[in-house]
Amino acid sequence: MQQISESELVLMRIIWGNGGTALYSFLMEELEKEESTWKKNTVLTLLSRLVEKGYLRTNKIGRRNEYEALVTEQEYQAAQTNSFLDRIFGGNVRGLVSTLLQEDMLSAEELKEIEKYWEEQNE
């Protein structure tokens, strides 16, 4: 799975948040709500890149374009997590968790929630 930029991720999050599809006009409305200053051409370029990378498909609805996510948010998160884990920790999950705990990025309560989740998944 190819890497996407932070700007492309903004658009993907809007599309994922809208059930996996969005019209161009909806994307622009959502960007305005976020007080984005992106111009029409910027958004169209980012959408074209996402189509080229295989993250989106364009569906014509009359004269309008609907953008459909071909990758779920969960699939993207899993791929990025694996990539990060491999690059930074050599695939060592223990190293990641250890760092999170040492740097107070993961509380004891959150660790208990993870342990509970793990136990539920393995029942």
Side-chain angles (χ1 to χ4, degrees):
M1 191 173 288
Q2 286 190 49
Q3 195 77 7
I4 62 175
S5 71
E6 289 298 317
S7 298
E8 291 166 339
L9 186 55
V10 167
L11 294 176
M12 289 302 298
R13 284 193 172 129
I14 293 171
I15 293 167
W16 287 324
N18 194 50
T21 61
L23 293 171
Y24 170 80
S25 58
F26 177 80
L27 292 167
M28 293 305 291
E29 289 169 14
E30 292 300 303
L31 289 169
E32 285 177 27
K33 289 179 190 174
E34 296 176 11
E35 299 182 9
S36 171
T37 57
W38 292 353
K39 303 287 186 224
K40 176 182 179 177
N41 286 341
T42 301
V43 175
L44 291 172
T45 297
L46 293 170
L47 290 168
S48 293
R49 287 181 188 163
L50 287 165
V51 168
E52 288 172 15
K53 291 177 180 181
Y55 284 93
L56 294 177
R57 170 178 37 222
T58 307
N59 301 315
K60 285 283 188 192
I61 300 176
R63 295 175 47 207
R64 302 182 305 169
N65 283 336
E66 177 187 61
Y67 295 92
E68 178 183 359
L70 299 176
V71 175
T72 68
E73 187 171 16
Q74 293 76 20
E75 290 168 334
Y76 178 74
Q77 289 171 341
Q80 292 305 303
T81 300
N82 284 325
S83 173
F84 172 79
L85 189 62
D86 286 342
R87 280 184 296 116
I88 306 301
F89 293 96
N92 183 339
V93 175
R94 183 177 292 158
L96 170 62
V97 174
S98 175
T99 300
L100 293 173
L101 289 168
Q102 289 172 4
E103 298 297 318
D104 292 327
M105 300 165 103
L106 182 66
S107 69
E109 183 178 310
E110 290 170 322
L111 185 57
K112 286 179 184 173
E113 288 177 24
I114 292 169
E115 289 171 347
K116 181 181 176 188
Y117 175 79
W118 178 260
E119 289 169 5
E120 290 171 357
Q121 296 302 309
N122 290 309
E123 288 180 354

